[in-house]
C-alpha cells in the first residue's frame, strides 16, 4: 500500500497482483500430412513446424491415425 497524493488519509491498494510472466505459444491445430491429403510426410510436417517456431501442432489427417507414430518419432528433444 502507498499513500494517495490527493488525500492524506486514503491509501492506494492494488486490486490484483502484478501480472505473471506470460509466454506466447504458437499453435497450429489443423494440419494434414501425406497420410491423407497433405503435401508433407508426418515427419516433415513436424520438422517444418518446429523450424517455423511452432510450439504445438495437431496432426488432423482425414479418417486415419496412420501418420501419428512417424510424427511422434520426429518430435524434437525437449
Amino acid at each position: 500500500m502507498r499513500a494517495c497524493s490527493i488525500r492524506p488519509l486514503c491509501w492506494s491498494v492494488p486490486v490484483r497482483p502484478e501480472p505473471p510472466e506470460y509466454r506466447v505459444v504458437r499453435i497450429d491445430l489443423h494440419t494434414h500430412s501425406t497420410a491423407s491429403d497433405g503435401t508433407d510426410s508426418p515427419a516433415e510436417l513436424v520438422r517444418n513446424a518446429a523450424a517455423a517456431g511452432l510450439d504445438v501442432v495437431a496432426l488432423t489427417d482425414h479418417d486415419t491415425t496412420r501418420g501419428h507414430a512417424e510424427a511422434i518419432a520426429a518430435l524434437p528433444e525437449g
Side-chain angles (χ1 to χ4, degrees):
M1 281 193 292
R2 64 175 201 255
C4 295
S5 60
I6 301 171
R7 295 185 216 151
L9 299 176
C10 127
W11 294 91
S12 172
V13 179
V15 281
R16 60 183 157 160
E18 292 295 316
E21 294 294 322
Y22 291 104
R23 179 174 170 254
V24 173
V25 179
R26 296 184 66 200
I27 300 172
D28 187 342
L29 296 178
H30 191 159
T31 65
H32 295 176
S33 74
T34 53
S36 67
D37 62 349
T39 57
D40 293 341
S41 72
E44 290 170 329
L45 191 145
V46 169
R47 285 192 296 268
N48 291 340
L54 292 175
D55 300 297
V56 177
V57 176
L59 182 57
T60 56
D61 286 323
H62 298 286
D63 302 320
T64 185
T65 58
R66 193 173 65 233
H68 287 188
E70 182 182 343
I72 290 169
L75 289 172
E77 293 294 319

